[in-house]
Structure formats: structure tokens, C-alpha cells
Amino acid sequence: MALMHLHAQELVTVIDNETGGPVEMVSIYSINPRHFQSTDIKGQASIDGFRGAERIEFRIMGYKTQVWTYKELKQSGLLVKLDPSDLKLSQIVVSAIRWRQQSSDVPVKITSINKADVVFQNPQTTADLLETNGNVFIQKSQQGGGSPMIRGFSANRLLLSVDGVRMNNAIFRSGNIHNVIALDPFALEQTEVLFGPGSVMYGSDALGGVLSFRTMSASLSPTDSIKVKGGYVARYSSANNEITNHLNVNIGHKHWASFTSVTFSEFGDLRMGSNGPSVNYIRPNYVARIGGMDVVRSTDNPLIQHPTGYNQFNITQKLRYAKGDWDIQYAFHHSGTSDVPRYDRLIELRDGQPRSAEWNYGPQTWQMHHVELSHSAQSAMYDIATLRMAYQTIEESRITRGFGRDIRNTREERVGATSFNLDFRKKLNEVHGISYGAEYVHNDVQSNGTGMHIFTEEKVGITDRYPQAQWQSVALFVKHDYKLSNKWTWETGVRYNHFAMDADFSNNQPYIPLPFEQTSLDFGAISGSTGWVYTPRREMILRGNLSTGFRAPNIDDIGKVFDSEPGAVVVPNPNLRPEYVYNAEIGVATVIGGRIKLDFSVYYTYLDQAMVRRDFQLDGADSIIYEGEQSPVLAIQNAAFATVFGTQAFAEVKISEQWSFITTHNFQRGREETEDGGISPMRHAPPVYGAARLIYKKKRWQTQAYAMYSGGVPFERMPVDQLRNNHIFAVDKNGDPFSPAWYTLNLKVQYALNERIILSGGVENITDQRYRPFTSGMVAPGVNVVVSVRAVL
């Protein structure tokens, strides 16, 4: 009888020595015996074919090559830690095709922010984290906010994705939105920004780019024993007397794990800088309620923006089970705020008096339950497949009361968002691979408006902000990558989306004379992309891309009733269709002498059938009475085109082993058609902006001296639709509104006291500049001292 010898497959694990994360696509080979392997998504590969080898090479672009013997690998516990080379030309990214791949194989520009960046920068919110990167411009209407701008697009023309699940919902508006702060920066493992249209992989809204957030995973133990680890962070910031406490705990077994993250932050009123414009910047007074009356009181300190303080609470809970080819994860996310004062509305004047006595976003809540099942198999259909099932609830409200008025209006919205994503990745052979999948999204929108007399508490009827509505989307997509040679890679993809929505406006009929009570929309949209990557030599990458994107009308577009600006009201318009972008870009990245890295991109985007606010008639009337005021009627309409041209530049210089210099520079010019057929600058295309950093790292020390900057916008280049908001802009010598240029000088220091304690400190805006980022309602923080302590448990 023949004897069968069975043995378990031996796997080597390759990780990044700096981040501890797995390194995928590492080439492992030996000549004797002649054998080759590459690591998978977990950084693992079988070494059975290398038995007895005296020379096994581990090689991947961006890391120093390592050589091992088979015996040394066994003695190391089958763990290889790769050290980054002087400068990386490539990195692992996920956002391009929703699977891990080398950025050097992607024909679009992607930048990433890892966990180490979060630890060092100590951002108060995720919006602040994006801003410090230097590639995303952030607008703020209130302290509890932050609306990203990318390549001339913002709000519902950008796609937010959390662990592969779209965060955008049916009430994402075209004005600035601030949902990104619902994500806890302490719970983020990696953030990626994909620039340009991403509709093939992500669907509607991905016009200007995709912000892809990957949260911390529950970490498994490498052995059968249970491993417990965690951390605690305490932080204080002086500009708003912020106090933050964060705790996380990971319990891991070989096959199961749990991760818990909890963060609570208190933000006081924000102090602006002392050096800069005064008119429309400093806060000389505020509204107080005294003796049953609204009165205007002088502030004790006009540099304090009152009221702007709020609180926020975040919790993330992950559960994971992994065995063999299966990896099953459950995630619960919760974010909640206190009332958040809408500062830009509270500083508006009407006839010399404050327009509003109260204007708050009520407590905003975001929750997500998310189940993800991943299966790896060498099957005919896929090498790896992932099913994501998610349910989100979004609750937000607006609480307003006019100055001297007795009725407080509260409008509350609740969205229940269900989604299913099925993604497959298959490597057909050595040169062909495909990514394909399907998506279904359903949003249920409930809206309610209530007015209440502040003395008698008698309720009065007011308009709901939205109709009661259902919004649905179903999609199929496929992306094909073709490695024509060792130097050329070609990628192309296509997506078809079908949308349906039903809206009931009957609740608003008593207050606004709509010519309809119900409406339905049913339509499709198609998008595509094609791009190439050429690698003439190992230290250079050339890329080019042609892509389209679309944004389908949502409930905010077709059915909203609100005051868009002082004295005007936006009403529903059920006759909308998708808007489309057409984008072309080329880029080059190179490493020179292992010490200098350069990356440059140029792009042009055309937006067609843009959904914009235009004058409108409601049942033949061009103005109506809204909340006691005769108000011109506006509506969202497919009535314009827009163009954006821009460049993005990045440079990194490795001065020595300890010193390096990094700079980013973003330029864009946006133009959009106005109602009279003219051309106006786009309000979401900010002036030139960027950052420059001098970095020092040595053993336990890390220091950064850096500058953030933005160009100005003179009156002649101000967007037409922003001239109505002249209360948030500086005034030039002719008395016209404009947005001044600004800069900040900053210093951050981090010191590892030991393996368990990290001390951090810094001073932001050292010269105490008083500035307001373009179109922001709030003035930015003045000099800000930040101190924190981080303990590894």
C-alpha cells in the first residue's frame, strides 16, 4: 500500500516594516529550485515550492529587495518585513477598482492618507484631515462641518465611500455638505482620494472624484492564543478649547476578532486670528434673549465667533470571523452631534439687524450596519468575491427663528438607506483581468416641518423640506485590464445605472400652490472610461485617461423647499434629468536618483446639462409668500454647462536619511454658464492652493514645519452667485467683495517616550493670521496650540 504524506501548506507573510500592513503583489522567486510566487491581498504566499532554496528574493517596486534562505524564513516564523526604498513610485490603493492594486497600474491620480498621518497630524475632524493633506480644499459654514472641494466640484458631485459602501444619499444637496465629519479620524485606517470621474465603479455623484475611507479592521491573532491590544488618546486645542478623549480595544483570536473604538469631543467657540481683514470678519455682537425679547449685545472679545461650539460622539464596533477562504465582517458605526450653530446664517443682516435669532442644525445622527462576506477561490467566475450589505440611517434637522419673531421652525429629515454590492475580481491569465459586479440602492426619505410659538408652545403648520419619497438605483458594471507588455497596461470599463423615484408632495399643498401632488421619474444612465499606463523605465510612469461620469437627480434636487439665500425660495421641479461630465487627463510620475519624486497631472472636464438654480415660475407666479416674506421663486433645472481646467503638482525630496521636503500645488479654473447666457467663475473651483513641508525623522522624533496657503479671488473673478453672500467676504478699496489670499505657518512635533507612550504637540497658524477660506462662512482658527498624549495598551 502506498503511503500518502499530507502536510499543511506553509505560508509566508510579508508586511510593511513602517505601517505593519500587508504588502500585496510582492514577487518571490528562486533559481534553484526554479520557482515563483506572489503575495495575495493578505500579504501571504505559499513557500512549499522553495524548500531547500539558498537564495529567495522578495522584490516589489517601492521597497528594498530582501534575500533569504529557506532555513532563515522558517527561523523567522515565516514573517518578512520590507523596508520602503528611498522614495516609492507606487503604493497599494483600493479606490480605483474596489480591489487592492498597485497605484502604478492605475491610469488616474490617487493620493492616500494612512494611519501614521492621522496619528501625527492630530486632526480634530475628518474634514481637517483631508485639508492637511494639501490636495483637497475644505469649505466651512460652521465649526461642525467641512465640505470638500475637488477639481471644481463639491457636495453631491463628489462620492463618499465608507468600506466600499456609498455614503451619499437621496438628500445630499448641491450646496456645501458636511457629512464627512460623521467619520471618526481615530477609526480610519486609510483614506484615498481618487481625482476625476469615478462613476464606472461607484455610480451616480462621482463627477469630481471619490473620497474612499477604509476604517480600522478587527485584527486576528497569528496564533491560537487570544491577543488583546488597544490605545487611549487625550487631546487639547487652544483655539476652541477642544477636549477629545478616544479609546480603542482589539481582541483577536486566530479565527475571530473584535475591535471597538469610542471618541468624544467637546468644541468651544472658535477664536479667529488677530492679523487680517476686519470688515465682515470680526464678530462685534451677537443675539441674546433677554426679558422675552431678542436683543443685540456687544461681544466681550470680537475675535471669538459666538456661537460656534458643539459636541460630537463616535463609536465603531467591528466583529470578524476568518477561516480558510472565507472572511466575514460586521461593522456598526454611530456618529451623533449636539446642536450645531450655522454661523454663516447667524451673521446675516437685514435692514441693519440680524436676520436670524436662531439658526441651528439639530442633533445630526449617522448610523450604519454593514456585513461584508469575502471569499477567495480559483474558480471560473472569480479569484475573490465580496458581498456588502448595509443599512444606514441619517437623521438631521434645521431649527430656525427670525430676529424678533415668535415662531421657531423645525424641519426634520430621516433617510433609511439600504444597499447591496456584489464585486468580483478575476485574473483570466497573465495579461488579462476583469473586475465586475452589481449594485442596488434604496433610500426612503421622510420629512416633517413644525412651527411652534416660543411663548404659548402652540404648533403651527409650515412646509416640509422634502416630499415623502422613495429613491432607487440598480447597476451593472465591468472593468477590464490588459497588460499589453511589461511597459504598457490598458484599462477600460463601462457601467449602466437605472433609477426610479416616487415623491408625494401633498403635505406641502396647504402652504405652497404646487401644480402637482405626486411625481415619478424613471430613467437610465451610462458611463465609461478608458486609460493607459506606460512605464518606459522602472523609475517613470506615464498615464492617460478618458472618462465620463454622471449624477442622477435625487430627492434634494427634484423636491426641496428651502430658502437658498436671503429673500429667495427654491421650489420642487420634477422635470430633471442626469447631468454628465466628460474628462480627459494625462500625468507623469518619476523618481530621480532615488532621492527626488515628481508627479504632475493636467486635466480638462466638461459638465453638460448641469443642474443649477434658476428663476422659475410656480403656477404662473415668479414670487410667493414664504415664511412671511415675498420671495422670488427659484428651482433646480438642467440649464447650464461648465468647464474646469487644472493642474496638480507634487514633489518630494529626500534630503538625507532624516530630512525630507514635500510640496503639493493645485491650480484650477472653473467656468459655468449663467442665466443670461454669460460666463461666470464656478464657486466650487477654489483659487490656487497647496502645502509645503520640511520633515525631520530620527528614531523616536518626528518634526514637521509646514505652510498651508491659498490664492485670492479679486472682485472681477468672483462667482456671480456668491455676490449675494457679500457678508462673508472682505471688502476691497472700491467697496466690492473679494476673497483675500492667505497662508499659515505651522509646527508639529512627536516624540515616542517608549513603545507605549507617544507625546505630540504643535502650534498651528503661528503668526495668528485672520483668514477665511474661499466661500467659507466661518473665519478659520487663529493661533492654535495642540497637545496630546497617546498610550498603547
Side-chain angles (χ1 to χ4, degrees):
M1 179 183 294
L3 296 177
M4 293 188 299
H5 298 280
L6 301 177
H7 66 273
Q9 187 181 48
E10 291 186 300
L11 299 176
V12 64
T13 300
V14 183
I15 65 173
D16 185 304
N17 196 30
E18 289 187 357
T19 67
V23 183
E24 187 182 3
M25 303 179 191
V26 178
S27 298
I28 310 172
Y29 63 92
S30 67
I31 297 178
N32 185 23
R34 184 173 297 277
H35 191 65
F36 173 83
Q37 284 284 341
S38 62
T39 56
D40 60 17
I41 191 171
K42 300 176 182 178
Q44 295 182 330
S46 171
I47 63 165
D48 289 349
F50 296 99
R51 293 180 183 276
E54 291 297 319
R55 183 181 176 85
I56 305 172
E57 288 196 14
F58 291 76
R59 183 187 297 273
I60 186 173
M61 185 182 295
Y63 291 88
K64 297 176 181 177
T65 299
Q66 290 193 16
V67 178
W68 297 69
T69 67
Y70 179 79
K71 183 178 179 181
E72 289 171 340
L73 279 179
K74 294 283 289 183
Q75 292 173 344
S76 74
L78 301 180
L79 179 66
V80 174
K81 300 178 181 180
L82 293 184
D83 294 309
S85 56
D86 288 337
L87 288 176
K88 296 180 185 179
L89 189 59
S90 182
Q91 60 186 338
I92 297 295
V93 294
V94 178
S95 57
I97 61 170
R98 299 169 68 94
W99 299 106
R100 294 168 63 88
Q101 64 179 146
Q102 289 286 342
S103 61
S104 56
D105 294 330
V106 180
V108 296
K109 180 174 177 59
I110 297 176
T111 187
S112 62
I113 306 169
N114 59 36
K115 184 66 177 176
D117 297 324
V118 178
V119 171
F120 182 80
Q121 289 296 338
N122 256 324
Q124 292 190 358
T125 68
T126 298
D128 296 333
L129 172 66
L130 293 169
E131 184 175 42
T132 58
N133 178 258
N135 288 298
V136 178
F137 194 90
I138 296 294
Q139 182 275 354
K140 288 190 178 183
S141 301
Q142 65 277 342
Q143 187 174 193
S147 184
M149 296 183 185
I150 298 175
R151 291 189 172 184
F153 296 96
S154 184
N156 57 15
R157 289 172 175 164
L158 300 178
L159 194 284
L160 309 184
S161 172
V162 183
D163 294 332
V165 177
R166 64 181 287 128
M167 195 178 187
N168 293 41
N169 60 63
I171 63 171
F172 262 43
R173 56 191 179 274
S174 57
N176 298 301
I177 60 173
H178 309 277
N179 299 62
V180 71
I181 73 161
L183 298 171
D184 181 6
F186 288 107
L188 294 178
E189 185 171 314
Q190 182 156 330
T191 299
E192 295 178 12
V193 183
L194 183 152
F195 296 92
S199 289
V200 169
M201 300 307 294
Y202 292 92
S204 178
D205 304 0
L207 302 186
V210 176
L211 293 162
S212 177
F213 301 95
R214 191 164 76 246
T215 60
M216 298 290 292
S217 297
S219 179
L220 301 170
S221 171
T223 67
D224 288 324
S225 61
I226 294 176
K227 186 176 181 179
V228 180
K229 59 182 180 180
Y232 170 76
V233 180
R235 183 180 61 219
Y236 171 79
S237 302
S238 65
N240 54 0
N241 289 318
E242 175 231 11
I243 297 176
T244 289
N245 287 277
H246 165 79
L247 178 68
N248 67 78
V249 177
N250 191 98
I251 304 173
H253 183 264
K254 188 174 184 179
H255 297 301
W256 60 264
S258 168
F259 172 77
T260 305
S261 170
V262 179
T263 304
F264 180 75
S265 298
E266 294 180 281
F267 305 98
D269 289 339
L270 185 66
R271 177 193 174 277
M272 68 181 75
S274 58
N275 300 307
S278 297
V279 178
N280 291 341
Y281 278 63
I282 63 172
R283 178 72 156 145
N285 49 50
Y286 65 96
V287 176
R289 190 77 176 168
I290 300 176
M293 297 180 60
D294 293 329
V295 297
V296 178
R297 300 194 64 177
S298 298
T299 59
D300 295 331
N301 184 348
L303 300 184
I304 300 297
Q305 299 173 83
H306 174 78
T308 52
Y310 77 104
N311 300 332
Q312 182 164 342
F313 174 74
N314 284 80
I315 183 169
T316 298
Q317 176 62 56
K318 296 281 192 80
L319 299 174
R320 181 180 181 185
Y321 177 80
K323 189 173 184 180
D325 299 328
W326 287 93
D327 193 340
I328 303 171
Q329 300 188 52
Y330 164 77
F332 170 74
H333 300 276
H334 172 88
S335 174
T337 71
S338 62
D339 283 358
V340 178
R342 174 85 187 257
Y343 185 75
D344 64 335
R345 291 299 185 96
L346 291 171
I347 60 176
E348 287 181 14
L349 299 178
R350 178 174 51 194
D351 299 328
Q353 293 290 324
R355 185 167 186 255
S356 299
E358 300 176 35
W359 213 120
N360 293 323
Y361 286 110
Q364 299 181 75
T365 302
W366 170 69
Q367 286 188 357
M368 181 168 75
H369 298 270
H370 175 208
V371 176
E372 180 178 303
L373 294 85
S374 295
H375 183 238
S376 302
Q378 300 298 318
S379 69
M381 289 187 62
Y382 61 86
D383 297 327
I384 182 168
T386 298
L387 171 64
R388 297 180 179 92
M389 301 173 288
Y391 180 73
Q392 302 175 68
T393 56
I394 302 95
E395 296 180 357
E396 55 185 54
S397 60
R398 292 159 178 81
I399 304 166
T400 62
R401 185 174 63 83
F403 183 78
R405 298 189 179 182
D406 298 332
I407 302 299
R408 177 185 293 118
N409 296 325
T410 301
R411 290 181 170 88
E412 299 173 316
E413 287 76 53
R414 185 184 189 278
V415 179
T418 304
S419 62
F420 296 88
N421 293 83
L422 189 57
D423 294 280
F424 300 95
R425 175 66 179 167
K426 176 65 181 177
K427 186 175 182 181
L428 301 175
N429 51 43
E430 291 302 315
V431 295
H432 292 280
I434 59 171
S435 302
Y436 63 100
E439 179 187 66
Y440 173 74
V441 178
H442 177 270
N443 283 192
D444 175 62
V445 179
Q446 300 295 318
S447 183
N448 179 64
T450 304
M452 179 178 290
H453 197 289
I454 59 175
F455 292 118
T456 66
E457 297 188 356
E458 178 185 356
K459 292 186 177 181
V460 298
I462 63 171
T463 58
D464 298 340
R465 181 176 172 87
Y466 297 113
Q468 316 310 306
Q470 310 288 317
W471 186 92
Q472 298 182 77
S473 165
V474 62
L476 296 172
F477 61 89
V478 62
K479 208 162 199 179
H480 170 243
D481 51 272
Y482 176 28
K483 197 168 185 63
L484 290 83
S485 67
N486 290 333
K487 294 185 177 182
W488 284 95
T489 299
W490 177 50
E491 184 180 280
T492 187
V494 64
R495 180 189 187 100
Y496 177 75
N497 250 104
H498 197 84
F499 299 90
M501 65 184 76
D502 297 285
D504 184 344
F505 297 88
S506 57
N507 286 357
N508 279 339
Q509 284 298 100
Y511 315 108
I512 293 185
L514 297 175
F516 48 84
E517 284 195 3
Q518 296 181 339
T519 187
S520 297
L521 290 180
D522 193 289
F523 52 87
I526 191 168
S527 60
S529 66
T530 186
W532 50 264
V533 177
Y534 175 55
T535 310
R537 59 179 189 270
R538 187 175 177 182
E539 300 81 13
M540 175 176 283
I541 296 172
L542 302 174
R543 58 181 183 267
N545 184 57
L546 299 173
S547 57
T548 67
F550 68 93
R551 186 174 78 81
N554 62 21
I555 303 305
D556 183 88
D557 296 310
I558 71 165
K560 177 170 58 180
V561 178
F562 83 117
D563 57 330
S564 65
E565 59 200 42
V569 59
V570 172
V571 299
N573 176 17
N575 300 313
L576 289 173
R577 287 296 182 267
E579 57 184 7
Y580 291 88
V581 294
Y582 305 90
N583 181 75
E585 66 178 287
I586 57 174
V588 58
T590 185
V591 172
I592 303 172
R595 291 287 180 174
I596 301 174
K597 178 181 177 181
L598 304 174
D599 193 318
F600 181 80
S601 299
V602 58
Y603 61 89
Y604 178 83
T605 305
Y606 180 83
L607 174 65
D608 191 27
Q609 294 296 307
M611 289 184 269
V612 293
R613 295 175 195 162
R614 290 290 185 260
D615 289 340
F616 194 67
Q617 288 192 345
L618 193 60
D619 206 19
D622 59 9
S623 66
I624 61 174
I625 300 294
Y626 181 73
E627 296 193 350
E629 293 184 47
Q630 189 73 31
S631 304
V633 174
L634 307 175
I636 305 295
Q637 303 172 55
N638 295 104
F641 69 86
T643 62
V644 183
F645 167 79
T647 60
Q648 292 178 282
F650 169 90
E652 181 176 1
V653 181
K654 191 82 170 179
I655 301 171
S656 68
E657 288 301 312
Q658 290 80 38
W659 290 93
S660 60
F661 175 78
I662 297 176
T663 184
T664 60
H665 187 80
N666 299 270
F667 166 85
Q668 53 275 306
R669 281 288 181 267
R671 302 282 189 269
E672 63 182 348
E673 184 183 15
T674 59
E675 191 162 4
D676 61 2
I679 298 296
S680 168
M682 292 175 66
R683 67 167 174 154
H684 288 151
V688 61
Y689 67 94
R693 306 174 187 278
L694 182 64
I695 302 169
Y696 175 79
K697 291 183 180 180
K698 185 176 183 181
K699 295 181 179 179
R700 298 180 178 182
W701 282 99
Q702 181 176 349
T703 302
Q704 276 192 25
Y706 64 98
M708 307 287 292
Y709 63 88
S710 171
V713 179
F715 172 72
E716 294 75 17
R717 289 200 290 114
M718 286 287 290
V720 171
D721 61 357
Q722 288 300 292
L723 296 179
R724 303 161 180 163
N725 296 325
N726 55 17
H727 66 285
I728 65 173
F729 292 104
V731 178
D732 65 18
K733 62 182 180 180
N734 298 317
D736 295 320
F738 80 108
S739 181
W742 57 266
Y743 72 92
T744 63
L745 301 178
N746 315 271
L747 179 68
K748 295 280 182 70
V749 178
Q750 178 179 287
Y751 177 68
L753 198 61
N754 51 48
E755 293 183 353
R756 294 188 176 276
I757 304 294
I758 298 176
L759 304 178
S760 298
V763 183
E764 299 170 341
N765 194 0
I766 296 172
T767 56
D768 204 28
Q769 296 297 301
R770 183 189 302 142
Y771 68 99
R772 178 182 268 140
F774 182 59
T775 72
S776 288
M778 285 199 64
V779 181
V783 62
N784 183 33
V785 178
V786 183
V787 293
S788 76
V789 58
R790 179 181 296 266
V792 179
L793 308 178

